[in-house]
Structure formats: C-alpha cells, structure tokens
Amino acid sequence: MSEAKADLSQMPRQIPFIIANEACERFSFYGMRNILTPFLVSSLLLYAPEAERAGIAKEVFHTFVIGVYFFPILGGYIADRILGKYRTIMYFSLLYCIGQGLLALFVDNRIGFYTGLFLIALGSGGIKPLVASFMGDQFDQSNKNLARIAFDAFYWIINFGSLFASLLMPIALKSHSPELAFGIPGILMFIATVFFWMGRKRYVHVAPAPADPHSFLNVARTALFTPGASNLGTYIAYVGFALAIAALALTPVLHFVPAVCLAIVAVIAFGGYGTSLQLDRARTKHPDEAVEGVRAVLRLLIVFALITPFWSLFDQKASTWVLQADLMVKPEWFQSAQMQALNPALVMILIPLNNLLLYPLLRKFGFELTAIRKMGFGIAFSGLAWIVAGLIQLEIDGGTPMSVTWQVLPYALLTFAEVLVSATGLEFAYSQAPSSMKGVIMAFWYLSVTIGNLWVLLANASVKNPTVLGHVKDTGLSEAAFLMFFFAGFALVAAAIFGLYAKRYKSVDNYRAV
C-alpha cells in the first residue's frame, strides 16, 4: 500500500489539466457525433427520397469519420517539425470550436453544416495524435510505470465524457432543438480549450525536431533509390505510386475522400514493403540507429494495418447499429442513439476490472497478456460481436419483434474488444515510436481508423452494384445482414493473421530518458 502511494505521488502535477481537457473535448465530440446520423435522417436529408436517407446518412457519417482520422497526419507533422505539440493543439482546438459553432448556427443549411463538419474533422483530427503523445511527454524513465495508469485514466475519462454525451444529446435533439443539441458540445469544446491553456506553465515541452538528414523519409528514399544487385523493392514502390494515380483517377466513381484514402493506402503499403526489401542499402549513407528506427516503424505499420478491420466494425455502432435499433422494439421515450451510452459505461467498468481482476488472474495461471496479444484477441472479439448483431438482424428480417435490449450482448462484446485494442494501442503506439516521430506515429495509429472506415464505404458502395446485389440475394440474406456477417468474417480473418504476426513482433521501449 505505501509503495503504491509513493509511486502515485510521482504523478506529474500537469496531468489533471490534460485529463480535464480530454473529458470535455470527448463530450463535445461524441455529443455531436452520436446525434449526427439521427439528425441527418430526420432533418438535413429531407430533400432525399425516404428510402435513400439512411444510406446517405451512413455515407456522410463515415466520410466525416475518415476526415477526423486522416487529419492527424497533418497535425502530427506540424507538431513534430514546426510548432511543437502544445501550440499545435491550441491552434487546432480553436478551429474545432469554430466548427462546433457552425453546426449550431446552420442546422437547416447543408453548406454551412458540412463546413462545420469539415472544421471539426480538421480540428479534432489535428489534435487527436497529439494530446495522448503530449501526455506521454510528461513522463520519463523515472516514472514511466505511472504512464500506463495515466493512459488508462485518459481512456477512462474519454468514455466518461462519451457516456453523458450519449445519454443527454439525443434527448436534447428530440425534446428541444438541433441548435441546442449541437450548441452544448460547442460550449464544452471551448471549456476543454480553456482547461488545456490553464496548464501551460507546468507542461514539459518537447521542442520540434530539427530537419534530420536521417529521417524516416530520407532513409526510405536512400533504400529505394540506391542501385543494387536487385531493384525489386524499387519496382514494388513504383507499383504503389501507379496504383495511387489509378485510385485518384477513380474519383468520379468513388468520390474524392475514398479515392484519396485508397491512394494513400497504395503508397504506404507498396512503398513500405519495397523499402523493407532494400533497407540495408541505406547503411551506406545513414547510421545503423536510423536504419533500425525505420525498420521498427515499418514493423509497427504492419500492426496498424492489421487493426483496420477492427475499426471497420467499431465505428459502425454509431451508424449501422443505430439504424438497426430503429427497427427494434423500445419504449417511446428511448432514442436509438442512446444505446451507444452502453459502450462508454462498460468501458469505465471493464478497464479497472481487467487491470484489477482479469489480467492478474491470467498471470496467476501463467499467461501474460502482452499489449500485442490484447490487440489480437480484441480484433477477434469484435468479429464475434458482429456475428451476434447479424443473428439479431436475421430475426428482424424474418418479422420477429426484437427488443432493443438484445443489442446489449453485441455492445458488450464490442466494448470488451475496444478495451483490448484501443485503450492498449494508445500506450503501445507511443512506447514503440522513435522519439523524433512520436506525433507522426500516433497519426499513423489514427490513420488506421480512417482506413477502417474506408472499408465500410467501399463495402457499402459495392453492394449497390447490380451484380453484387444479385449474389447477396442468392444467399437469402438481406443487404444489412449480409454486410454484418461479411464484416465479422473480415475481422476474424484479420485476427488470425494478427496472431501469427504477433509471435514475431519484438516490442521496444522508447520513453525519453530522465
């Protein structure tokens, strides 16, 4: 007991400011996000035929989420190379506040409303990789054991804010007005910014890294373009760039956001693999430390890539599962979007339960649940959650009245998966990142969410193809049920591959020195 108290007394005094900022910001974000689909269907998309509104709302929602998790690349780069984390967080937070204000002002104007969504995606995305890594900067080797507690508290407070947002904002939307429902999150975002500003004199500020001749991109460039006996890696990288151009050419068909995301996937996947094949050539111009740092990043990107199916499933709880709940039996006062409150409530229970009971019990039986193992099991549990959701959909399609309480089981399975993947991944990504690339590596972690939502858009677009629709009908399943089982299988296959890769992955410790 005394040892625990002594350890906790070393917790940096500035951490509460970051935690308070995160609580308010998450209420703001989830408050508007969790009512976005119902608002679009019931208000902003009334111009569209009724049968098409749900599909359009899902497309708008997942395009927005793609933006939120794409802009971390921009925020991470600006923080690591130009402004530093603190100033970048402050500037993007102000854009975030403006975006929230536009939602409240333009609830009956699509251009104004979508402009607000863009600014929220830019602001929220810009700060997303930085707040967690900025908190990590407050720790060093002397107290890094407390970082794991802080990251758990960080994730717990995210869900604290999300819980109350999920309970209250649907009521505000139905019982009061869209202006109030979107205005309250705007006020909370302003309060979040003030909290973060209040701790400015206590923070540890890690300066932006100067131009580095041995940076990730410079090492990769040397590896790809230094002649050797075989230039297979270079040719593979060229294939990636060619596929990226082809993806951009499909913009009229895929729309701009999915086309850009596919182009990025092609460049990262083929360029990264090509670099790995020829990485040792970079030793002619770069020190071994830089080359091994790039190797570590490439191995980490494989982990992130294998996690993308989890995000495909997780983020659909705010779109597909809300639309499913609309078809289920529930009290008149209960809004479908309020089921999402179950997710953060369970997270707040599961994080301490896992740390205090489940993980120690597993260790007692000789099974150490490492970070990488947790994430593999998490992906698998997300697949199980969607199998249950698919079975519920089959009953609905068959005409059986289903109580909305049946959704508790898939929510519980998905939430357990979230704790294993997302809460673990935040600290894992920070600890594995080389010191000069923490912001950017955290951005790549969030980019995996973008790619996960990209798979959703592509899958939904594919089932609209007459040929694919014919095959779906041949299965005897509805479009909704087919997609649920498809995504479940997607996650289970990814979990199996992840498990095989996890056996070869060697974790590193990249916390800063005292």
Side-chain angles (χ1 to χ4, degrees), residues 123-321:
S124 175
I127 69 174
K128 192 167 289 294
L130 304 179
V131 178
S133 59
F134 185 70
M135 184 174 73
D137 288 345
Q138 310 309 306
F139 296 89
D140 54 36
Q141 292 291 341
S142 69
N143 59 0
K144 69 178 183 181
N145 60 309
L146 295 177
R148 291 169 176 79
I149 298 174
F151 273 101
D152 276 347
F154 184 84
Y155 203 79
W156 191 90
I157 207 68
I158 287 174
N159 289 277
F160 180 83
S162 175
L163 170 64
F164 288 99
S166 300
L167 288 173
L168 299 176
M169 292 304 97
I171 296 174
L173 179 63
K174 181 183 179 182
S175 303
H176 297 282
S177 67
E179 290 86 353
L180 179 66
F182 288 111
I184 292 174
I187 294 171
L188 266 292
M189 185 57 217
F190 176 76
I191 295 173
T193 306
V194 171
F195 271 129
F196 188 72
W197 174 82
M198 287 172 63
R200 66 196 182 282
K201 295 182 179 179
R202 299 186 181 188
Y203 298 137
V204 172
H205 296 274
V206 177
D212 183 5
H214 308 300
S215 68
F216 177 86
L217 288 179
N218 285 333
V219 173
R221 189 182 300 113
T222 301
L224 286 173
F225 299 111
T226 297
S230 170
N231 294 316
L232 178 60
T234 305
Y235 297 142
I236 290 174
Y238 282 141
V239 170
F241 284 106
L243 291 174
I245 294 172
L248 293 174
L250 291 174
T251 297
V253 178
L254 296 176
H255 300 306
F256 178 74
V257 173
V260 170
C261 289
L262 273 179
I264 292 172
V265 169
V267 170
I268 293 175
F270 286 83
Y273 181 60
T275 299
S276 69
L277 292 179
Q278 302 178 180
L279 188 55
D280 285 333
R281 297 184 190 181
R283 298 185 192 278
T284 59
K285 294 184 179 180
H286 304 282
D288 289 345
E289 181 182 0
V291 174
E292 291 307 314
V294 170
R295 194 185 306 278
V297 170
L298 292 175
R299 290 170 59 242
L300 194 56
L301 290 182
I302 295 174
V303 174
F304 293 173
L306 292 172
I307 288 173
T308 61
F310 165 78
W311 296 116
S312 297
L313 278 62
F314 179 75
D315 280 322
Q316 286 190 79
K317 69 181 174 56
S319 58
T320 303
W321 283 11

Side-chain angles (χ1 to χ4, degrees), residues 83-95:
L83 296 177
K85 296 185 184 71
Y86 173 77
R87 286 196 293 166
T88 304
I89 292 170
M90 284 299 300
Y91 294 154
F92 275 89
S93 293
L94 293 175
L95 291 175

Side-chain angles (χ1 to χ4, degrees), residues 28-45:
S28 173
F29 180 77
Y30 285 109
M32 61 77 49
R33 195 188 91 146
N34 288 355
I35 62 173
L36 183 56
T37 298
F39 169 74
L40 291 171
V41 172
S42 63
S43 299
L44 201 64
L45 299 180

Side-chain angles (χ1 to χ4, degrees), residues 409-494:
L409 180 55
Y411 266 101
L413 290 169
L414 189 64
T415 302
F416 185 62
E418 177 194 3
V419 170
L420 293 176
V421 174
S422 190
T424 304
L426 279 173
E427 194 271 336
F428 177 79
Y430 181 87
S431 67
Q432 301 302 293
S435 58
S436 63
M437 286 194 63
K438 290 199 181 293
V440 173
I441 285 297
M442 295 298 282
F444 276 120
W445 165 256
Y446 289 113
L447 183 62
S448 69
V449 186
T450 288
I451 306 307
N453 280 269
L454 172 65
W455 304 147
V456 177
L457 287 182
L458 294 178
N460 287 336
S462 297
V463 297
K464 295 177 182 177
N465 181 284
T467 303
V468 177
L469 275 176
H471 289 304
V472 172
K473 289 181 180 178
D474 290 341
T475 66
L477 302 174
S478 68
E479 180 182 319
F482 176 83
L483 283 173
M484 288 178 179
F485 289 121
F486 168 79
F487 280 112
F490 186 33
L492 292 174
V493 170

Side-chain angles (χ1 to χ4, degrees), residues 10-73:
Q10 298 177 33
M11 184 69 72
R13 293 188 304 158
Q14 61 271 34
I15 295 300
F17 292 99
I18 301 174
I19 297 294
N21 161 267
E22 189 68 9
C24 295
E25 188 272 327
R26 291 291 85 186
F27 184 106
S28 173
F29 180 77
Y30 285 109
M32 61 77 49
R33 195 188 91 146
N34 288 355
I35 62 173
L36 183 56
T37 298
F39 169 74
L40 291 171
V41 172
S42 63
S43 299
L44 201 64
L45 299 180
L46 292 179
Y47 70 90
E50 185 175 357
E52 298 179 12
R53 290 174 197 162
I56 298 173
K58 282 183 66 174
E59 184 174 335
V60 170
F61 176 86
H62 288 286
T63 300
F64 166 71
V65 174
I66 281 176
V68 169
Y69 291 95
F70 173 77
F71 284 119
I73 295 176

